[in-house]
């Protein structure tokens, strides 16, 4: 599966979100508000590592990995 250009995740249905590939760039209300889709939990919680939050962390890769593990749990 190929990655797409960044897409507005808030305009997708749950079925469409489940089909997204982990690592797909997404955005919210503004294209400047980008994040990396990491998965959807069985409860329906959508897990996205928003770039603004990730860049404020001391360990960027560790932050992404922790959220990725959370999405798979």
């Amino acid at each position: 599966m190929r990655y797409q250009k960044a897409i507005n995740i808030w305009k997708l249905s749950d079925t469409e979100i489940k089909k997204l590939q982990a690592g797909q760039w997404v955005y919210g209300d503004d294209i400047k508000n980008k994040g990396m889709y990491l998965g959807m939990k069985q409860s329906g919680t959508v897990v996205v590592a928003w770039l603004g939050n990730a860049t404020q962390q001391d360990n960027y890769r560790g932050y992404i990995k922790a959220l990725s593990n959370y999405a798979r749990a």
Side-chain angles (χ1 to χ4, degrees):
M1 180 184 230
R2 295 183 60 204
Y3 291 108
Q4 307 168 32
K5 290 185 179 182
I7 54 177
N8 187 338
I9 196 163
W10 293 353
K11 292 190 176 185
L12 300 177
S13 68
D14 284 350
T15 305
E16 292 170 320
I17 291 173
K18 286 180 185 177
K19 292 180 183 178
L20 288 177
Q21 183 177 357
Q24 170 69 47
W25 284 103
V26 296
Y27 62 92
D29 56 353
D30 183 5
I31 195 157
K32 295 176 186 174
N33 185 20
K34 285 189 179 177
M36 184 185 304
Y37 172 76
L38 298 174
M40 180 183 275
K41 297 184 69 65
Q42 286 187 344
S43 65
T45 301
V46 178
V47 182
V48 174
W50 295 105
L51 192 57
N53 293 340
T55 56
Q56 292 178 3
Q57 303 300 315
D58 292 332
N59 184 355
Y60 175 82
R61 289 183 189 261
Y63 175 76
I64 300 294
K65 185 171 179 132
L67 279 180
S68 183
N69 289 338
Y70 172 73
R72 285 185 253 138

